[in-house]
Amino acid sequence: MFIIDAHLDLSMNALEWNRDLRQPVTLINEREKELSDKPDRGKATVSLPELRKGNIGLVVATQIARYVAPGNTLPGWHSPEQAWAQTQGQLAWYKAMEDAGEMVQIKDAQTLESHIAHWNDGNVNDIKPIGYILSLEGADSIVTLNHLERAWQYGLRAVGPAHYGPGRYAQGTNATGKLSSAGRELLKEMERMNFILDATHLCDDSFWEAMDLFKGHVWASHNNVRTLVNHNRQFSDEQIKELVNRGAVIGGVLDAWMMVPNWERGQSDPPSMNCKLEVMIDHADHICQLAGNALHVAIGSDLDGAFGREQCPYDLETIADLQKFPSLFLKRGYSSMDVDNIMHGNWLRFLRNAWKA
Ligand SMILES: [Zn+2]
């Protein structure tokens, strides 16, 4: 089955983890055997061949760079200009993958439809490029609103105003407070240019203010449910209802701490916490029960988003195992039409609507 994954930090893996994502995951991990600079060394699950193996032909891929003000202890750059420069390096990697025929940028209805047709042409022998929709996770690197315009020109189509902590435009996970005045301007410009607003990572105050102000298309690329794992990073039922009312699609995440309660980073391990793929379906099902249908859930795995096999479902060896989801959803009582929608149809409907002429 064709699968769309709405959240992968591919260029971050390429440039900060030094992973050549054209390689099979086994070779990437082999090469990291001796490294211990990051907790997920040798535990990668994502590479371009694995995406092809899993029939995951379209992804939302990030640019990501944080600005930190003095006193902010999160990792990040000391000026927005440095953060911008990092995102431009990440863009250069995506472009290099396009030059190599490995990836192709999807940025409008036309590129979307021709890409989907290519992946459904029945020719299993050609090596198809992975389609990517460019998204910015945390908007700190947008130095001025003019940079937002430039970003649209190079293909950026979705923006999450915040990531972890306080941001220049909005407050993110583990922070509190509303949008800054620059953040309100940013949303206005995003709406004018038809950027998709990614509600993921907005803290509650910023989330509700953004929902009030922004009249454009909203999705949540990678988000689970607060009722099942109580943390401000997760959506409350009220937030889920608001997103459903706005026609949003919410991508289920495969980061263990957002799947099962009481996960202790660096201590817990997936089998003993019973963290398996089916747990993501509990989160998706909660959203479907609130919505009364299966039209607002999908996949935004976040795999290799600064964690690897040590912190994801134990029955997932590589991202190709997303292909286990269709039968798991069927087993849960979902219809085959529901499953088609969850695996790709909901993201496609959202994009076709957002990008219609
Ligand atoms: Zn994230």
Side-chain angles (χ1 to χ4, degrees):
M1 174 166 318
F2 187 73
I3 295 179
I4 299 175
D5 185 338
H7 193 81
L8 291 173
D9 297 316
L10 295 179
S11 62
M12 183 188 88
N13 275 273
L15 298 182
E16 287 182 60
W17 270 248
N18 195 7
R19 289 174 174 167
D20 180 2
L21 297 181
R22 292 173 296 185
Q23 303 294 323
V25 153
T26 46
L27 290 187
I28 290 172
N29 286 332
E30 175 70 21
R31 203 154 174 194
E32 295 186 359
K33 257 191 342 206
E34 309 298 323
L35 298 179
S36 56
D37 59 321
K38 298 177 190 294
D40 55 329
R41 282 298 184 194
K43 298 185 174 75
T45 65
V46 178
S47 78
L48 300 177
E50 292 298 334
L51 286 167
R52 288 190 194 98
K53 199 166 127 194
N55 205 15
I56 306 156
L58 180 59
V59 305
V60 178
T62 61
Q63 297 173 291
I64 178 166
R66 180 186 293 110
Y67 161 72
V68 286
N72 184 341
T73 55
L74 289 169
W77 296 103
H78 291 187
S79 72
E81 287 81 357
Q82 288 166 280
W84 170 260
Q86 183 172 25
T87 63
Q88 298 316 290
Q90 292 164 345
L91 175 66
W93 179 79
Y94 290 117
K95 292 293 169 193
M97 288 300 100
E98 289 191 58
D99 292 344
E102 294 274 348
M103 298 182 75
V104 60
Q105 190 182 62
I106 307 303
K107 57 179 179 176
D108 52 26
Q110 194 194 334
T111 49
L112 177 67
E113 298 307 337
S114 64
H115 184 68
I116 298 300
H118 185 192
W119 271 75
N120 290 320
D121 66 5
N123 182 353
V124 292
N125 292 319
D126 72 340
I127 296 175
K128 295 178 165 65
I130 303 298
Y132 75 100
I133 298 163
L134 200 56
S135 176
L136 182 65
E137 185 168 27
D140 291 351
S141 60
I142 299 296
V143 183
T144 68
L145 292 181
N146 176 262
H147 290 72
L148 188 69
E149 187 100 43
R150 283 156 70 178
W152 179 272
Q153 295 306 326
Y154 66 64
L156 186 68
R157 290 295 178 267
V159 175
H163 188 225
Y164 277 81
R168 294 177 59 228
Y169 295 100
Q171 317 315 318
T173 301
N174 295 336
T176 54
K178 294 196 159 191
L179 305 169
S180 64
S181 62
R184 292 190 289 273
E185 288 303 311
L186 180 84
L187 286 186
K188 232 183 270 173
E189 279 298 279
M190 283 173 56
E191 186 180 317
R192 184 181 67 78
M193 284 184 257
N194 200 31
F195 276 100
I196 295 159
L197 169 63
D198 190 345
T200 293
H201 283 297
L202 288 171
C203 76
D204 289 5
D205 302 326
S206 287
F207 172 92
W208 287 111
E209 193 182 4
M211 290 306 116
D212 273 351
L213 286 176
F214 187 79
K215 305 297 174 214
H217 305 280
V218 181
W219 70 24
S221 60
H222 58 307
N223 236 110
N224 285 348
V225 166
R226 197 174 294 180
T227 299
L228 299 181
V229 178
N230 186 15
H231 189 280
N232 71 76
R233 167 76 178 80
Q234 316 267 83
F235 283 140
S236 68
D237 288 359
E238 291 68 33
Q239 289 174 312
I240 292 166
K241 286 178 199 158
E242 170 72 14
L243 290 167
V244 165
N245 287 337
R246 297 184 65 122
V249 176
I250 303 170
V253 196
L254 299 178
D255 189 341
W257 81 264
M258 289 182 254
M259 298 176 71
V260 295
N262 307 314
W263 179 272
E264 303 237 26
R265 208 178 281 270
Q267 304 292 319
S268 303
D269 73 298
S272 65
M273 299 295 282
N274 203 25
C275 182
K276 51 185 174 178
L277 290 167
E278 275 185 279
V279 174
M280 199 278 274
I281 300 183
D282 298 339
H283 290 262
D285 190 65
H286 184 85
I287 296 169
C288 292
Q289 300 307 328
L290 288 173
N293 58 54
L295 296 172
H296 300 276
V297 295
I299 294 184
S301 76
D302 203 10
L303 288 168
D304 291 3
F307 63 95
R309 285 204 70 194
E310 81 290 353
Q311 196 173 303
C312 72
Y314 63 76
D315 47 351
L316 180 142
E317 195 171 327
T318 78
I319 194 166
D321 289 326
L322 294 185
Q323 211 52 250
K324 292 178 177 175
F325 271 125
S327 63
L328 291 172
F329 272 101
L330 288 171
K331 206 175 90 186
R332 269 304 255 280
Y334 283 76
S335 71
S336 58
M337 190 200 273
D338 290 337
V339 176
D340 285 355
N341 282 334
I342 294 165
M343 302 315 287
H344 58 258
N346 290 336
W347 290 130
L348 279 181
R349 184 193 65 243
F350 181 99
L351 288 165
R352 284 172 174 145
N353 179 48
W355 291 348
K356 65 176 181 273

